[in-house]
Amino acid sequence: MIGGVEAGGTKFVLAIGTSTGEIVQRHTLETTHPDDTLREATYWFETRGPIAALGIASFGPLDLDRTSPKWGHITSTPKRGWANCDIVGWFRERLGCPVGFDTDVNAAALAEWNAWRQTDSTLAYVTVGTGIGGGVVVGGQVLGGKTHPEIGHIRVARHPLDRDFAGVCPYHGDCLEGLASGPAIEARWGHRLGDVEVKNAQDMIAHYLGQMCYSLFSITAVERIVLGGGVMQTEGLIELVREHTKQIDDGYLPTGIERQIETPLLGTKSGITGALLLASLALSAAKT
Amino acid sequence: MIGGVEAGGTKFVLAIGTSTGEIVQRHTLETTHPDDTLREATYWFETRGPIAALGIASFGPLDLDRTSPKWGHITSTPKRGWANCDIVGWFRERLGCPVGFDTDVNAAALAEWNAWRQTDSTLAYVTVGTGIGGGVVVGGQVLGGKTHPEIGHIRVARHPLDRDFAGVCPYHGDCLEGLASGPAIEARWGHRLGDVEVKNAQDMIAHYLGQMCYSLFSITAVERIVLGGGVMQTEGLIELVREHTKQIDDGYLPTGIERQIETPLLGTKSGITGALLLASLALSAAKT
C-alpha cells in the first residue's frame, strides 16, 4: 500500500491505495495552519499501518528543482503559515518512506494521462476554479523541472463586451486567471457562473478559455485537453469552450481540435489519484 | 557523411555533413516549382557521392503522423505546386537512404537544444520572419507527433496604440503572426522594422513577442527561448522583448525569466544543422 496527499488551499485529501492509483481508503481534512493540518494528516497515515511511499500533490508555487536545497517546499504563498513550508521534509521524517512531490495540477494531469493513454500520448489538464492552473504530460513525463507551468497567467485578447473589467489577479490584473477564474466571475456578476443571469456571461468566460485551449494546442500540439475544476461544472460551459476554440482556429489546425477537449475521466478524483501515482514513481526511483 | 535539406518557401539550403551536425559542404537553391527544385537538389546530392541518410527540415504545414499514408508530405500550402507534395518519398526513392522529416522550426529547435544542452534540458525555438513558427524540445524530443505546434497563431492582447489594425493572417486576422510578423510590419508601416521611424513601432512588436514568450514559459515551463528569423535581426529588439516579458510577468514567475530569452547560438545555421540531426536520428532508427 502507498499513500497520497492532495494538499489544497481549503482542504487536504488523504488516501491509501495501490501503485496503479486505485483508492482504497480516503479522508478529508480542512486546511488550517500547517502545524495542525500536517500533524492530523500524519496521524491518519500512521494509524493505518506503514506505507511504502507517499505522493504529495500540492497547491503552489512549489520548488521542484531537484538541485535546490528548498526542493519539496511550498514557496511564496500568501496563505498564512504555509510560505516556505517544507511539506516533503515533514512527511519523510515522520513516515520514513520515499516521498514524491509535484503540483496538484501536474499530478492530476499525470492521472488523467494515465486514464486516457489508450488513445492519447500527450495530454494537458487544466483546472478552472479559485485559480487556473495546469500541467502537460508527454509520454508519461510532466513538462517542467526546475519550475512548473503557470498557464493561468497567460495574457488573452479581450472579449468585445469586456473592455473595462480590471481583472482580479493581484499580479497581472487581466491575465487569464484575472478574467476567467471563479473569483473573476464573482467580482463581475456576484454569483457563480451557473447562477449568473447576464446574457453572454458564459460566452465571455468560454471566449477566454477557448483562447487558452487554442494556445495549448498551438504551443504544445497536445492531443487531449482535459478541463476540470469548479467553474467547469457549469452546465453547457464545455460545449461553449469547444465552440470558441473552433471559432478561433477557423479551419487552420487539423480539423476537429475542439473534439479533443474533454472533462476529466476521473471526475474530481484526478488530483488524489495523481498523488498515488507520484508515490508509485517515488517508490520506483528509490528502488533503482 | 549524411545530408540535410532545409526546405524554405523562398530558398532550399542543402548540406553534406556529419552525424553530430557539422556542415562540410553547403549549397543554396531558389525555391521554384517542386519538379525543378527537387530535381536540382537531388542532382546536387548525387554528384557528391552516396550519403547514409537524409534529413528534411521543411516549411509546412506537414503531415508528421507516422501512421498516416500522407506522412512525409507537405499538406495544404498555398505555394503553387507544393500542396500535397511527397517530399520524403521523392528523396527516398532517388537517394535510396533513410529519410528523417520534421518542420523547419522543429529541426532548428533540435539544433539549438543540442547547442544549449550543457545548461538547459528544455528549449523553445521561434522564428519571427515572413511567418512566426516554433518548436519545443524536451530532453531531446520535439513536442508534437500527430501534429506540430503552430505558435504563430495564438491570440494576443492588443497593444494600447494598436487597436484598429486588422492584422494580415489570412485565417485569423489579428493572431500573433497577423500582428507581429514581417508582413504585418510592412502592412502597417511600409518598411522593415529597423527602418520604421514611427515612435513605439518596436515597442509594439516587442509587446506581442513578449506575450508569446510569456505564454511559452507559462505553458511549458521551458528553460530557454531562442528567437531567430529576419525580424529578430532588428537591432535592440531582443532587449525590448526581454523587457516586455519581464513587465508582463511583474514578479510572478521565478526571477530572471527574461534572461532566458536568447538569440540562436547557431546564428542562421540552426535550420540546416537541424536537418543534419534529423538525418542522424533517421540513421539510428534504421539501424535498430
Side-chain angles (χ1 to χ4, degrees):
Chain A
M1 285 290 140
I2 55 177
V5 175
E6 185 187 5
T10 55
K11 63 177 183 180
F12 265 52
V13 181
L14 314 177
I16 300 281
T18 69
S19 59
T20 54
E22 302 288 319
I23 298 164
V24 175
Q25 260 191 72
R26 192 179 141 123
H27 183 63
T28 302
L29 308 174
E30 197 194 339
T31 307
T32 57
H33 193 277
D35 286 349
D36 300 322
T37 310
L38 297 182
R39 191 166 300 146
E40 219 182 313
T42 309
Y43 178 76
W44 188 81
F45 284 113
E46 282 171 344
T47 53
R48 260 137 204 95
I51 51 175
L54 183 74
I56 302 174
S58 179
F59 68 99
L62 307 178
D63 190 336
L64 297 180
D65 181 358
R66 279 279 179 181
T67 65
S68 159
K70 298 266 182 169
W71 178 82
H73 287 55
I74 297 172
T75 58
S76 60
T77 176
K79 203 167 167 57
R80 203 179 64 84
W82 291 91
N84 216 9
C85 170
D86 181 10
I87 189 167
V88 166
W90 170 284
F91 283 107
R92 190 164 42 195
E93 198 175 298
R94 285 158 184 86
L95 300 179
C97 65
V99 177
F101 181 58
D102 214 323
T103 63
D104 43 7
V105 284
N106 273 348
L110 201 61
E112 286 293 326
W113 176 84
N114 199 47
W116 285 93
R117 63 195 292 182
Q118 297 296 331
T119 51
D120 303 302
S121 69
T122 56
L123 176 146
Y125 173 88
V126 183
T127 180
V128 186
T130 311
I132 298 179
V136 181
V137 183
V138 175
Q141 295 281 101
V142 294
L143 285 195
K146 289 188 191 159
T147 63
H148 51 77
E150 285 284 0
I151 192 172
H153 297 274
I154 61 173
R155 282 298 177 288
V156 284
R158 288 284 186 140
H159 188 278
L161 301 175
D162 192 36
R163 290 255 180 250
D164 301 320
F165 179 62
V168 301
C169 173
Y171 289 90
H172 311 117
D174 65 346
C175 64
L176 175 66
E177 185 170 298
L179 293 172
S181 62
I185 293 163
E186 285 274 345
R188 266 201 208 85
W189 299 301
H191 295 284
R192 291 153 52 99
L193 190 58
D195 301 330
V196 174
E197 293 187 7
V198 177
K199 194 169 174 277
N200 296 319
Q202 290 200 20
D203 188 72
M204 194 181 283
I205 299 307
H207 165 91
Y208 295 122
L209 297 178
Q211 285 183 61
M212 176 192 77
C213 289
Y214 196 70
S215 291
L216 259 169
F217 282 128
S218 303
I219 290 176
T220 66
V222 80
E223 291 172 36
R224 182 70 55 193
I225 295 178
V226 175
L227 300 179
V231 171
M232 288 313 303
Q233 288 170 25
T234 310
E235 207 181 310
L237 182 61
I238 190 148
E239 287 79 8
L240 283 176
V241 173
R242 288 189 188 119
E243 190 52 41
H244 274 273
T245 306
K246 186 180 170 176
Q247 273 175 32
I248 291 170
D249 180 49
D250 206 11
Y252 186 73
L253 293 183
T255 49
I257 55 161
E258 71 281 1
R259 292 194 299 273
Q260 294 165 245
I261 302 169
E262 284 291 347
T263 48
L265 274 185
L266 300 170
T268 55
K269 294 202 196 89
S270 313
I272 187 65
T273 305
L276 289 173
L277 295 177
L278 292 176
S280 177
L281 290 171
L283 191 59
S284 305
K287 281 180 182 163
T288 60
Chain B
M1 284 291 141
I2 55 177
V5 176
E6 186 186 6
T10 56
K11 62 177 184 180
F12 265 52
V13 180
L14 314 176
I16 300 280
T18 70
S19 59
T20 53
E22 302 290 319
I23 298 165
V24 174
Q25 254 192 304
R26 192 179 141 123
H27 183 63
T28 302
L29 308 175
E30 197 194 338
T31 307
T32 58
H33 193 276
D35 286 351
D36 300 321
T37 311
L38 296 183
R39 191 165 301 146
E40 218 183 315
T42 309
Y43 178 77
W44 189 79
F45 285 113
E46 282 171 345
T47 51
R48 259 134 205 95
I51 51 175
L54 183 74
I56 302 174
S58 179
F59 71 100
L62 307 178
D63 190 337
L64 297 179
D65 182 357
R66 279 278 181 182
T67 65
S68 159
K70 298 266 182 170
W71 177 82
H73 287 55
I74 297 172
T75 59
S76 60
T77 175
K79 203 166 168 58
R80 202 179 64 83
W82 291 91
N84 218 10
C85 170
D86 181 11
I87 189 167
V88 166
W90 170 283
F91 283 107
R92 190 163 45 196
E93 198 175 297
R94 283 158 185 85
L95 300 180
C97 64
V99 178
F101 181 57
D102 214 324
T103 63
D104 43 7
V105 284
N106 273 347
L110 202 59
E112 285 292 327
W113 176 85
N114 199 46
W116 286 92
R117 63 195 291 181
Q118 297 296 332
T119 50
D120 303 301
S121 68
T122 57
L123 175 146
Y125 172 87
V126 183
T127 179
V128 186
T130 311
I132 298 179
V136 181
V137 182
V138 175
Q141 296 280 101
V142 294
L143 285 196
K146 290 187 189 160
T147 63
H148 51 78
E150 285 285 0
I151 192 171
H153 298 274
I154 61 172
R155 283 298 177 289
V156 283
R158 288 283 186 140
H159 187 279
L161 302 175
D162 191 36
R163 289 256 179 251
D164 301 320
F165 179 61
V168 300
C169 174
Y171 289 90
H172 312 117
D174 65 347
C175 63
L176 176 66
E177 185 170 299
L179 293 173
S181 62
I185 292 163
E186 284 276 344
R188 267 202 209 83
W189 300 300
H191 296 283
R192 293 152 52 99
L193 190 58
D195 302 329
V196 174
E197 293 188 5
V198 176
K199 193 167 175 277
N200 296 318
Q202 290 200 20
D203 188 72
M204 196 181 281
I205 300 307
H207 165 91
Y208 295 122
L209 297 178
Q211 285 183 62
M212 177 194 76
C213 289
Y214 196 69
S215 291
L216 259 170
F217 282 128
S218 302
I219 290 177
T220 67
V222 80
E223 290 171 37
R224 181 70 54 194
I225 295 178
V226 175
L227 300 179
V231 172
M232 288 314 303
Q233 287 170 26
T234 310
E235 207 181 311
L237 183 60
I238 192 149
E239 287 79 8
L240 282 176
V241 174
R242 287 189 187 120
E243 190 51 42
H244 274 273
T245 306
K246 185 179 171 175
Q247 273 175 33
I248 292 171
D249 179 50
D250 205 13
Y252 186 73
L253 293 183
T255 50
I257 55 162
E258 72 280 1
R259 291 194 300 271
Q260 294 165 245
I261 302 170
E262 284 291 348
T263 49
L265 274 184
L266 301 170
T268 57
K269 295 202 197 88
S270 314
I272 188 62
T273 305
L276 290 173
L277 295 177
L278 291 177
S280 176
L281 290 172
L283 191 59
S284 306
K287 282 181 181 160
T288 59

